Amino acid sequence: MQTGKDVGKHGVAGFLRFDGTTTRPYRGSDIKDKTFYEILSEHGKKCFLLSMPYSNPTRIPGDVVYDWLSVGKAHVHDCVYPSTLFESYPELKDYQIFPEGGKGIHDYMQKIKKSSEALNEIIKHVIDSKRYDYNFFLIRATDWIQHSLLRQIMEGDKSAKVRIARETFSIIDNIVNYVAQNVKGNDTLIIMSDHGFTTYKHRFYINDWLKENGYLTTSNKTIDSLEKTRYPFLFDDDPNNSQHTSYVPGIISKIVREHHSLMRAAGLISGKLEHMMNTRFVLSQPIDLGKSMAFAVEESAGAIYLNKNLLSKDQATDLKKEIISKLSSMNIMKIHDTEALYGSSVASSVPDIFLTSSKYWIRRGLVGTVFSDKYQDHHRREGILILSGDAFEKPPINPQIMDLAPTILHISGCPIPSDMDGRVLYESLNSSGQASRPIKYTESSASHVREEILSDAEQLVIEERLKSLGYI
């Protein structure tokens, strides 16, 4: 959405960057391509960005409220640029970039509701200020709520937590209505989601399947293994650490991982238990990178990496064909060859195989079984797109998320970098309006975003947020 380019070019596939040995959360500086809002700014358009993914470090003069993915800070006072933004929008002081902690789901919903109320006031103030040529607002509450309560909401649950969730939806409806009612003159409104939501009744565990088919080997130690990111109960073994490492039995591992409430509880108490017992608990066995030919890295990305450190190019090609053939023969999901999707010059950080399914929630594993029948509220691939304003008169034909950047640039009268993979949604434009003028292209240029290094503590904050939503 930001670069107008596919994953094969910009390389940000999921939330964790895998370099062949270790993982870490993606950072804003990992996106080397120039974003559409940088181009808008270069052409004199003043922008306001609220929670644009990976918006830190800043790429434009202002005004920016950072997102929780790229900054490991808990307080909004550390997450705005410039700092004088609080003087313009005092409502920001009540806004949470992420609803940290809480005493159960009821308290969690209360925090989300309070933050949404603050967001409502911020957006109204920004719209009313008429200071900007382009505004971006990301409303994350719908995602947070549906991760926790989608099934209960759809089934008409009358509990207090669901009531609060519905009240939050009402606040968001009011936000969207206010923005829509204030679209005037040549204003354009685009409402989109990068995914939808559904309830899965079945799960498929990639690494368990790979292990069962002889492509993955587990280890008794986490040294030199894939467990460099702090998954629940998976920690690096420090040879100089006097702590004992205790492996949780497979049956317990499976039960804990299968139940979201148990996973959440385990995350809360594990640290205290480890300190008391001077023991590190490892849930399931880690992946042995020295012997495994293929593995999944991220919990819910539905992606497989081939071990390029172990395989020659020809061996990797043959292995990929073999894995794709075996998975396809199961007829339960769609298997996508990355090179077939994006061409041969794919960024090295992108997995080799993607798996998608409308029936199975595809998970990383290892949990001791390939399949399970457990409910889970999680993403579905299809999102929404609404185009509103005088610039548009017809629905788009098969729009893709990367079409938004060139479409926004064209409507704003800015040239489009020639290497964007997305296209202007020309068929939707008003045939008699200014937006239907010929499309202008320009040579591509790299972003001047500064390199960003997050501290271990900041990375941990981001990982804990991702973990709480079930992404890692």
Side-chain angles (χ1 to χ4, degrees):
M1 188 273 289
Q2 298 185 48
T3 64
K5 299 177 183 179
D6 64 33
V7 173
K9 280 186 180 174
H10 62 68
V12 180
F15 295 106
L16 299 177
R17 184 180 181 92
F18 177 58
D19 65 5
T21 306
T22 62
T23 59
R24 64 163 173 80
Y26 276 105
R27 303 188 285 246
S29 56
D30 287 323
I31 305 173
K32 306 301 182 185
D33 302 88
K34 188 170 287 187
T35 61
F36 74 86
Y37 60 85
E38 287 175 89
I39 298 171
L40 289 176
S41 182
E42 288 172 357
H43 285 79
K45 310 293 184 183
K46 188 170 175 58
C47 302
F48 182 94
L49 309 178
L50 191 149
S51 203
M52 177 72 81
Y54 301 112
S55 52
N56 179 57
T58 49
R59 297 165 178 262
I60 58 175
D63 296 339
V64 182
V65 181
Y66 300 140
D67 69 301
W68 62 268
L69 277 169
S70 59
V71 58
K73 307 290 186 182
H75 201 283
V76 70
H77 281 276
D78 300 313
C79 302
V80 300
Y81 180 83
S83 58
T84 53
L85 214 55
F86 286 101
E87 299 172 12
S88 301
Y89 306 106
E91 302 89 346
L92 277 169
K93 71 181 189 312
D94 295 321
Y95 176 66
Q96 280 191 301
I97 65 169
F98 193 87
E100 310 280 2
K103 301 175 182 177
I105 191 69
H106 183 275
D107 185 47
Y108 183 53
M109 289 299 120
Q110 288 278 32
K111 287 189 173 187
I112 292 174
K113 179 183 176 183
K114 182 179 178 181
S115 185
S116 297
E117 290 170 339
L119 180 63
N120 187 20
E121 297 306 312
I122 296 165
I123 292 177
K124 284 182 178 180
H125 197 162
V126 172
I127 293 293
D128 292 344
S129 75
K130 303 187 186 302
R131 296 175 186 168
Y132 306 98
D133 301 292
Y134 175 80
N135 296 308
F136 175 89
F137 309 115
L138 179 52
I139 302 173
R140 292 194 179 274
T142 51
D143 181 82
W144 293 335
I145 290 171
Q146 289 177 103
H147 270 293
S148 303
L149 292 174
L150 177 64
R151 184 157 54 100
Q152 291 93 322
I153 292 170
M154 298 301 291
E155 292 176 353
D157 189 306
K158 303 298 184 183
S159 64
K161 59 181 180 287
V162 172
R163 174 181 54 79
I164 297 168
R166 290 184 178 277
E167 291 169 355
T168 305
F169 284 154
S170 181
I171 293 168
I172 294 165
D173 283 345
N174 290 334
I175 294 174
V176 175
N177 181 63
Y178 188 86
V179 175
Q181 293 299 320
N182 281 274
V183 174
K184 296 181 175 65
N186 291 325
D187 291 344
T188 294
L189 173 62
I190 298 176
I191 300 175
M192 57 80 66
S193 70
D194 57 338
H195 59 77
F197 251 89
T198 190
T199 297
Y200 294 94
K201 297 180 181 179
H202 311 284
R203 301 184 186 186
F204 174 79
Y205 299 98
I206 298 173
N207 282 339
D208 292 279
W209 183 88
L210 290 170
K211 183 177 181 180
E212 188 177 273
N213 284 268
Y215 303 119
L216 181 149
T217 302
T218 53
S219 170
N220 288 324
K221 293 186 178 181
T222 55
I223 300 173
D224 299 325
S225 78
L226 192 54
E227 315 309 334
K228 299 297 183 184
T229 301
R230 301 169 185 85
Y231 294 103
F233 292 104
L234 292 171
F235 297 86
D236 298 330
D237 276 340
D238 182 350
N240 299 317
N241 196 311
S242 61
Q243 280 187 315
H244 173 66
T245 299
S246 179
Y247 292 94
V248 178
I251 185 64
I252 297 178
S253 165
K254 178 181 176 183
I255 291 172
V256 172
R257 284 183 179 268
E258 286 295 318
H259 294 82
H260 189 266
S261 58
L262 289 179
M263 282 287 283
R264 187 182 292 270
L268 293 173
I269 67 172
S270 61
K272 295 178 181 178
L273 283 175
E274 288 174 335
H275 179 73
M276 289 171 56
M277 301 174 65
N278 195 37
T279 297
R280 292 185 178 192
F281 295 108
V282 177
L283 190 64
S284 184
Q285 290 180 309
I287 299 166
D288 189 330
L289 278 185
K291 299 177 181 178
S292 297
M293 294 183 287
F295 39 77
V297 173
E298 195 168 316
E299 186 64 88
S300 58
I304 298 174
Y305 286 91
L306 302 181
N307 194 342
K308 307 294 174 48
N309 296 324
L310 204 62
L311 303 167
S312 68
K313 186 175 181 179
D314 288 342
Q315 287 174 328
T317 299
D318 292 341
L319 180 61
K320 180 164 62 171
K321 289 179 180 177
E322 183 178 315
I323 291 175
I324 289 175
S325 176
K326 285 186 178 181
L327 287 170
S328 299
S329 67
M330 299 166 66
N331 294 318
I332 61 170
M333 62 190 105
K334 293 182 179 179
I335 318 301
H336 310 273
D337 181 342
T338 299
E339 287 192 7
L341 285 176
Y342 306 124
S344 57
S345 57
V346 181
S348 59
S349 57
V350 179
D352 298 279
I353 302 170
F354 284 104
L355 288 63
T356 60
S357 174
S358 59
K359 183 178 179 181
Y360 287 84
W361 186 29
I362 300 172
R363 302 286 283 170
R364 174 184 181 267
L366 299 149
V367 300
T369 183
V370 175
F371 297 98
S372 69
D373 296 324
K374 298 290 182 183
Y375 281 93
Q376 181 65 42
D377 301 327
H378 207 70
H379 301 173
R380 68 173 181 179
R381 221 175 147 194
E382 298 79 14
I384 64 166
L385 175 63
I386 298 171
L387 307 175
S388 178
D390 292 343
F392 301 109
E393 66 176 4
K394 294 178 182 179
I397 299 172
N398 298 323
Q400 299 186 72
I401 195 168
M402 61 187 175
D403 297 335
L404 292 181
T407 300
I408 291 169
L409 289 174
H410 177 68
I411 289 173
S412 302
C414 299
I416 299 165
S418 56
D419 66 340
M420 280 191 175
D421 298 299
R423 65 182 182 87
V424 175
L425 297 173
Y426 209 77
E427 70 277 10
S428 297
L429 299 180
N430 190 324
S431 56
S432 60
Q434 175 70 10
S436 62
R437 65 189 177 281
I439 300 171
K440 293 191 299 181
Y441 292 96
T442 187
E443 289 187 11
S444 178
S445 58
S447 173
H448 297 297
V449 61
R450 61 180 171 81
E451 187 62 32
E452 174 194 31
I453 303 297
L454 296 178
S455 68
D456 289 344
E458 289 175 314
Q459 288 195 53
L460 181 58
V461 169
I462 295 171
E463 289 167 9
E464 289 297 328
R465 291 167 177 169
L466 291 167
K467 188 193 304 179
S468 71
L469 293 171
Y471 295 142
I472 68 171

